[in-house]
Amino acid sequence: MKIVGITSCSTGIAHTYMAAESLEIAAKKRDIEIKVETQGSIGAENVLTEQEIAEADAVIIAASTSVNKDRFNGKRLLEVDVTEAIDHPDDLFDRVPNAAIYTTSGEVKTEAKAEKSGIYSHLMTGVSYMIPFVVAGGICIALAFAFGGINAKGDLAAAINELGGIAMGLMWPILGGYVAFSIADRPGLVPGMVAGMIASNMNAGFLGALLGGFLAGYTVQLLKKVLKLPPAFSGLLPVLILPVISVLFVGLIMKFVVGIPITALNEGITNWLNSLSGMNSVLLGLLLGGMMAIDLAGPIGKAAYFFGVASLTNLAVGETSTVMAAVMISGMVPPLAMALSSTVLGKGLYSKEEREAGKSAWVLGLSFISEGAIPFAAADPIRVLASVTVGSAITGALSMIFNCGIAVPHGGFFVFLIPGAVENVLLYVLALAIGTAISGFLVTAVKVMAQKKQAAKE
């Protein structure tokens, strides 16, 4: 059997390549010939050729974002979430021979429609395009602090800070635009980006841009069904009629209907965050920390992350966010804890492959890539996820107790070294060390107990 595949995750970083590797390893064990195209943050790699697709018996698409399937017309196609390929690759190979035939006309539905939420897929598509703007903007702002102090003084620092602000300012139009693009293809980009820009100008934030993107996408989708032109004028539809009508409708709805309550909600959340102190802030840190670990950068973790990002959007130069600080430091704990357990505390409890993954997890954890713990969670989900969630929650709470703040949304340990990027940096590192140690010792202990229990049964 010959299979071709595509993997793609919301960030285009870890899950994309882990899913491809998981499929390739499982295929090798079964003597199945496979080629996997990865659609990551730097674009498509290992691209499938027309000949390879033509010769393939079936197609597997493991993606949490929208993937163009037109080139697979007439092929058996199995479409699942990217985590399915990481956790259960053998199951996919069992199911793919019975997958439905994909047709671009949509007459035959693929298994994907029953398995994954369209709304979640559209959301993750928007997020995948937005995150590079968030990261680039945040790191530029941190570099401005390094060159010009916490107030970014000096021509060079001011220029770099301005670049960071521009990149960060584009994140809401990009989110709205690519959510709409996922729903309605290219005609959705214009009204989606306009909706995102309106959300940005009105201070409606993440929720405003997100709702604007969905409004734009489904508006264009409806217009494409309703508006029918003679063939001679059909060329006007995508370049003139759809953009103008959709921008007018979506823009006015955003400005006078949807945007106003969403702006009030966003400002209310911001004011609430700013008012948190004492036990309330500790409980928030505990909650966000647990969310960052419970599904290892899945939907729950993404919700916590964008809650943190939202807390950065209204900051003045030199200010830091305690919420974003708790989110980032908590997300670093899972891979670091598993690295500690598999390479230091309990080497004998892990397979050779897991010990090798543990070495990589050190780097992934320091880089704030929570997905570095996925190989361990896939093998032993209950013990691993429970253990890392405890440590991450404690780390988030400690970050709040220590009043740690951060001015950037990504970068992990490497932004700790930039002057002014992190407030109370030594206590921040201490919170990370404590949470990592707690989770590392906890997961090692529960694995030892499980091993002893199994030995006793035997």
Coordinates of all heavy atoms in Angstrom, one line a residue, residues 388-451:
V388 N 1.9 16.9 35.3 CA 2.4 18.2 34.8 C 1.4 19.3 35.1 O 1.8 20.4 35.2 CB 2.7 18.1 33.3 CG1 3.8 17.1 33.0 CG2 1.5 17.8 32.4
T389 N 0.1 18.9 35.1 CA -0.9 19.9 35.5 C -0.7 20.5 36.9 O -0.9 21.7 37.1 CB -2.3 19.4 35.3 OG1 -2.5 19.0 33.9 CG2 -3.4 20.4 35.6
V390 N -0.4 19.6 37.8 CA -0.1 20.1 39.2 C 1.0 21.0 39.2 O 0.9 22.1 39.8 CB 0.2 18.8 40.1 CG1 0.6 19.3 41.5 CG2 -1.1 18.0 40.2
G391 N 2.1 20.7 38.6 CA 3.3 21.6 38.6 C 3.1 22.9 37.9 O 3.5 23.9 38.4
S392 N 2.4 22.8 36.8 CA 2.1 24.1 36.0 C 1.2 25.0 36.8 O 1.4 26.2 36.8 CB 1.5 23.7 34.7 OG 2.4 23.1 33.8
A393 N 0.2 24.4 37.5 CA -0.8 25.2 38.2 C 0.0 25.9 39.4 O -0.2 27.1 39.7 CB -1.9 24.4 38.8
I394 N 0.8 25.2 40.1 CA 1.6 25.8 41.2 C 2.6 26.9 40.6 O 2.7 27.9 41.3 CB 2.4 24.7 41.9 CG1 1.5 23.8 42.6 CG2 3.5 25.3 42.8 CD1 2.1 22.5 43.2
T395 N 3.2 26.6 39.5 CA 4.1 27.6 38.9 C 3.3 28.9 38.5 O 3.8 30.0 38.8 CB 4.7 27.1 37.6 OG1 5.6 26.0 38.0 CG2 5.5 28.1 36.9
G396 N 2.1 28.8 38.0 CA 1.3 30.0 37.7 C 0.9 30.7 38.9 O 1.0 32.0 38.9
A397 N 0.6 30.0 40.0 CA 0.2 30.7 41.2 C 1.5 31.4 41.8 O 1.4 32.5 42.3 CB -0.3 29.7 42.2
L398 N 2.6 30.7 41.8 CA 3.8 31.3 42.3 C 4.2 32.6 41.5 O 4.7 33.6 42.1 CB 5.0 30.3 42.3 CG 4.9 29.2 43.3 CD1 6.0 28.2 43.1 CD2 5.0 29.7 44.7
S399 N 4.1 32.5 40.2 CA 4.4 33.7 39.4 C 3.6 34.9 39.8 O 4.1 36.0 39.9 CB 4.1 33.4 37.9 OG 4.4 34.5 37.1
M400 N 2.3 34.7 40.2 CA 1.4 35.7 40.6 C 1.8 36.2 42.0 O 1.9 37.4 42.3 CB 0.0 35.3 40.7 CG -0.7 35.2 39.3 SD -0.9 36.8 38.5 CE -2.0 36.4 37.2
I401 N 2.1 35.2 42.9 CA 2.6 35.6 44.3 C 3.8 36.5 44.3 O 4.0 37.4 45.0 CB 2.8 34.3 45.1 CG1 1.5 33.6 45.4 CG2 3.5 34.6 46.4 CD1 1.7 32.2 46.0
F402 N 4.8 36.1 43.4 CA 6.0 36.8 43.2 C 5.9 38.1 42.5 O 6.9 38.9 42.3 CB 7.1 36.0 42.6 CG 7.5 34.7 43.4 CD1 7.9 33.6 42.7 CD2 7.3 34.7 44.7 CE1 8.3 32.4 43.4 CE2 7.7 33.5 45.4 CZ 8.2 32.4 44.8
N403 N 4.6 38.4 41.9 CA 4.4 39.6 41.2 C 5.3 39.7 39.9 O 5.8 40.8 39.6 CB 4.5 40.8 42.0 CG 3.8 42.1 41.4 OD1 2.8 41.9 40.7 ND2 4.4 43.2 41.6
C404 N 5.5 38.6 39.3 CA 6.3 38.6 38.1 C 5.5 39.1 36.9 O 4.3 38.8 36.8 CB 6.8 37.2 37.8 SG 7.8 36.5 39.1
G405 N 6.2 39.8 36.0 CA 5.5 40.4 34.8 C 6.4 40.2 33.6 O 7.6 40.0 33.7
I406 N 5.8 40.1 32.4 CA 6.5 40.0 31.2 C 5.9 40.9 30.1 O 4.7 41.1 30.2 CB 6.5 38.5 30.7 CG1 7.6 38.3 29.7 CG2 5.2 38.1 30.2 CD1 8.0 36.8 29.5
A407 N 6.7 41.4 29.2 CA 6.3 42.3 28.2 C 6.1 41.7 26.9 O 5.7 42.4 25.9 CB 7.2 43.5 28.1
V408 N 6.4 40.4 26.7 CA 6.3 39.8 25.4 C 5.5 38.5 25.5 O 5.3 37.9 26.6 CB 7.7 39.4 24.9 CG1 8.5 40.7 24.7 CG2 8.5 38.5 25.9
P409 N 4.9 38.0 24.4 CA 4.0 36.9 24.5 C 4.7 35.5 24.2 O 4.0 34.5 24.2 CB 3.0 37.2 23.4 CG 3.8 37.9 22.4 CD 4.8 38.7 23.1
H410 N 5.9 35.5 23.9 CA 6.6 34.2 23.5 C 8.1 34.4 23.7 O 8.6 35.4 24.1 CB 6.3 33.8 22.1 CG 6.1 32.4 21.9 ND1 7.1 31.5 22.0 CD2 5.0 31.6 21.6 CE1 6.6 30.2 21.8 NE2 5.3 30.3 21.6
G411 N 8.8 33.3 23.5 CA 10.3 33.3 23.6 C 10.8 32.5 24.7 O 12.0 32.1 24.6
G412 N 10.0 32.2 25.7 CA 10.5 31.3 26.8 C 11.7 31.9 27.5 O 11.8 33.1 27.7
F413 N 12.6 31.0 27.9 CA 13.8 31.4 28.8 C 14.7 32.4 28.1 O 15.3 33.2 28.7 CB 14.6 30.1 29.1 CG 15.7 30.3 30.1 CD1 15.4 30.3 31.5 CD2 17.0 30.6 29.7 CE1 16.3 30.6 32.4 CE2 18.0 30.8 30.7 CZ 17.6 30.8 32.0
F414 N 14.7 32.4 26.7 CA 15.6 33.3 26.0 C 15.2 34.8 26.2 O 16.1 35.6 26.0 CB 15.6 32.9 24.5 CG 16.0 31.4 24.4 CD1 15.0 30.5 24.1 CD2 17.3 31.0 24.5 CE1 15.3 29.1 24.0 CE2 17.6 29.7 24.4 CZ 16.7 28.7 24.2
V415 N 14.0 35.1 26.5 CA 13.6 36.5 26.7 C 13.9 36.9 28.2 O 14.0 38.1 28.5 CB 12.2 36.8 26.4 CG1 11.9 36.5 24.9 CG2 11.2 36.1 27.3
F416 N 14.2 35.9 29.0 CA 14.6 36.2 30.4 C 15.9 37.0 30.4 O 16.2 37.8 31.4 CB 14.8 35.0 31.2 CG 13.5 34.1 31.4 CD1 12.3 34.4 30.8 CD2 13.6 33.0 32.2 CE1 11.2 33.6 30.9 CE2 12.4 32.2 32.4 CZ 11.3 32.5 31.8
L417 N 16.7 36.8 29.4 CA 18.0 37.4 29.4 C 18.0 38.9 28.8 O 19.0 39.5 28.9 CB 19.0 36.6 28.5 CG 19.0 35.1 28.8 CD1 19.9 34.3 27.8 CD2 19.5 34.8 30.2
I418 N 16.9 39.3 28.3 CA 16.8 40.7 27.8 C 16.4 41.6 28.9 O 15.3 41.5 29.5 CB 15.7 40.7 26.7 CG1 16.1 39.7 25.5 CG2 15.5 42.1 26.1 CD1 15.1 39.6 24.4
P419 N 17.2 42.6 29.1 CA 16.9 43.6 30.2 C 15.5 44.2 30.0 O 15.2 44.7 28.9 CB 18.0 44.6 30.1 CG 19.1 43.9 29.4 CD 18.5 42.9 28.5
G420 N 14.7 44.2 31.1 CA 13.4 44.9 31.0 C 12.3 44.1 30.5 O 11.1 44.5 30.6
A421 N 12.6 42.9 29.9 CA 11.5 42.1 29.3 C 10.7 41.4 30.4 O 9.5 41.1 30.3 CB 12.1 41.1 28.4
V422 N 11.4 41.0 31.5 CA 10.7 40.3 32.6 C 10.9 41.1 33.9 O 12.0 41.5 34.3 CB 11.3 38.9 32.8 CG1 10.6 38.1 33.9 CG2 11.2 38.1 31.5
E423 N 9.9 41.2 34.7 CA 9.9 41.9 36.0 C 10.1 40.8 37.1 O 9.4 39.8 37.0 CB 8.6 42.7 36.2 CG 8.7 43.6 37.4 CD 7.4 44.4 37.6 OE1 6.6 44.4 36.6 OE2 7.3 45.1 38.6
N424 N 11.0 41.0 38.0 CA 11.3 40.0 39.0 C 11.8 38.7 38.4 O 11.3 37.6 38.7 CB 10.1 39.8 39.9 CG 9.7 41.0 40.7 OD1 10.5 41.8 41.1 ND2 8.4 41.2 41.0
V425 N 12.8 38.8 37.6 CA 13.2 37.7 36.8 C 13.8 36.5 37.6 O 13.5 35.3 37.3 CB 14.2 38.1 35.7 CG1 15.5 38.6 36.3 CG2 14.5 37.0 34.7
L426 N 14.5 36.8 38.7 CA 15.0 35.7 39.5 C 13.9 34.9 40.2 O 14.0 33.7 40.3 CB 16.0 36.3 40.6 CG 17.3 36.9 40.0 CD1 18.2 37.5 41.1 CD2 18.1 35.9 39.2
L427 N 12.9 35.6 40.7 CA 11.8 34.9 41.3 C 11.0 34.1 40.2 O 10.4 33.1 40.5 CB 10.8 35.9 42.0 CG 11.4 36.5 43.3 CD1 10.5 37.6 43.8 CD2 11.7 35.5 44.3
Y428 N 11.0 34.7 39.0 CA 10.3 34.0 37.9 C 11.0 32.7 37.6 O 10.3 31.7 37.4 CB 10.4 34.9 36.7 CG 9.4 34.7 35.6 CD1 8.0 34.5 35.8 CD2 9.8 34.7 34.2 CE1 7.1 34.3 34.8 CE2 8.9 34.5 33.2 CZ 7.5 34.3 33.5 OH 6.6 34.1 32.5
V429 N 12.3 32.7 37.6 CA 13.1 31.5 37.3 C 12.8 30.5 38.5 O 12.7 29.3 38.3 CB 14.6 31.8 37.2 CG1 15.4 30.5 37.1 CG2 14.8 32.6 35.9
L430 N 12.8 31.0 39.7 CA 12.5 30.2 40.9 C 11.1 29.5 40.8 O 11.0 28.3 41.0 CB 12.5 31.0 42.2 CG 12.2 30.3 43.5 CD1 13.2 29.2 43.7 CD2 12.2 31.3 44.7
A431 N 10.1 30.2 40.3 CA 8.8 29.6 40.1 C 8.8 28.5 39.1 O 8.2 27.4 39.3 CB 7.8 30.7 39.7
L432 N 9.6 28.7 38.0 CA 9.7 27.7 37.0 C 10.4 26.4 37.6 O 10.0 25.3 37.3 CB 10.5 28.2 35.8 CG 10.9 27.3 34.7 CD1 9.6 26.7 34.1 CD2 11.7 27.9 33.6
A433 N 11.5 26.7 38.3 CA 12.2 25.5 38.9 C 11.4 24.7 39.9 O 11.4 23.5 39.9 CB 13.5 26.1 39.6
I434 N 10.6 25.4 40.7 CA 9.8 24.7 41.7 C 8.7 23.9 41.0 O 8.5 22.7 41.3 CB 9.1 25.7 42.6 CG1 10.2 26.4 43.5 CG2 8.0 25.1 43.5 CD1 9.6 27.5 44.4
G435 N 8.0 24.5 40.0 CA 7.0 23.7 39.3 C 7.5 22.5 38.5 O 6.9 21.5 38.5
T436 N 8.7 22.7 37.9 CA 9.3 21.6 37.1 C 9.7 20.5 38.1 O 9.5 19.3 37.8 CB 10.6 22.2 36.4 OG1 10.2 23.2 35.5 CG2 11.3 21.1 35.7
A437 N 10.3 20.9 39.2 CA 10.7 19.8 40.2 C 9.5 19.1 40.7 O 9.5 17.8 40.8 CB 11.5 20.5 41.3
I438 N 8.4 19.8 41.1 CA 7.2 19.1 41.6 C 6.7 18.1 40.6 O 6.4 17.0 40.9 CB 6.2 20.2 42.0 CG1 6.6 20.9 43.2 CG2 4.8 19.5 42.2 CD1 5.7 22.1 43.6
S439 N 6.5 18.6 39.3 CA 5.9 17.7 38.3 C 6.9 16.5 38.0 O 6.5 15.4 37.8 CB 5.6 18.5 37.0 OG 4.5 19.2 37.2
G440 N 8.2 16.9 37.9 CA 9.2 15.8 37.6 C 9.2 14.7 38.6 O 9.2 13.5 38.3
F441 N 9.2 15.1 39.9 CA 9.2 14.1 41.0 C 7.9 13.4 41.1 O 7.9 12.1 41.3 CB 9.6 14.7 42.3 CG 11.0 15.0 42.6 CD1 11.6 16.2 42.4 CD2 11.8 13.9 43.0 CE1 12.9 16.5 42.6 CE2 13.2 14.2 43.2 CZ 13.7 15.4 43.0
L442 N 6.8 14.1 40.8 CA 5.5 13.5 40.9 C 5.3 12.4 39.8 O 4.8 11.3 40.1 CB 4.4 14.6 40.8 CG 2.9 14.1 41.0 CD1 2.8 13.5 42.3 CD2 2.0 15.3 40.8
V443 N 5.6 12.7 38.6 CA 5.4 11.8 37.5 C 6.3 10.6 37.7 O 6.0 9.4 37.4 CB 5.6 12.4 36.1 CG1 7.1 12.8 35.8 CG2 5.0 11.5 35.0
T444 N 7.5 10.8 38.2 CA 8.5 9.7 38.5 C 7.9 8.8 39.5 O 7.9 7.6 39.4 CB 9.8 10.2 38.9 OG1 10.3 11.1 37.9 CG2 10.8 9.1 39.1
A445 N 7.4 9.4 40.6 CA 6.8 8.6 41.7 C 5.6 7.8 41.3 O 5.5 6.6 41.6 CB 6.4 9.6 42.9
V446 N 4.7 8.4 40.5 CA 3.5 7.6 40.1 C 3.9 6.5 39.1 O 3.2 5.4 39.1 CB 2.4 8.5 39.5 CG1 1.9 9.5 40.6 CG2 2.9 9.3 38.3
K447 N 4.9 6.7 38.3 CA 5.3 5.7 37.4 C 6.0 4.5 38.2 O 5.8 3.3 37.8 CB 6.3 6.2 36.4 CG 5.6 6.9 35.2 CD 6.6 7.4 34.2 CE 5.8 8.0 32.9 NZ 5.2 6.9 32.1
V448 N 6.8 4.8 39.2 CA 7.4 3.8 40.1 C 6.3 3.0 40.8 O 6.4 1.8 40.8 CB 8.3 4.4 41.1 CG1 8.7 3.4 42.2 CG2 9.6 5.0 40.4
M449 N 5.3 3.7 41.3 CA 4.2 3.0 41.9 C 3.5 2.0 41.0 O 3.1 0.9 41.3 CB 3.2 4.0 42.5 CG 3.7 4.8 43.7 SD 2.7 6.1 44.2 CE 1.2 5.3 44.6
A450 N 3.2 2.5 39.8 CA 2.5 1.7 38.8 C 3.4 0.5 38.4 O 2.9 -0.6 38.2 CB 2.3 2.5 37.5
Q451 N 4.7 0.7 38.3 CA 5.6 -0.4 38.0 C 5.6 -1.5 39.1 O 5.6 -2.7 38.8 CB 7.0 0.1 37.7 CG 8.0 -0.8 37.1 CD 9.3 -0.2 36.8 OE1 10.1 0.1 37.7 NE2 9.6 0.0 35.5

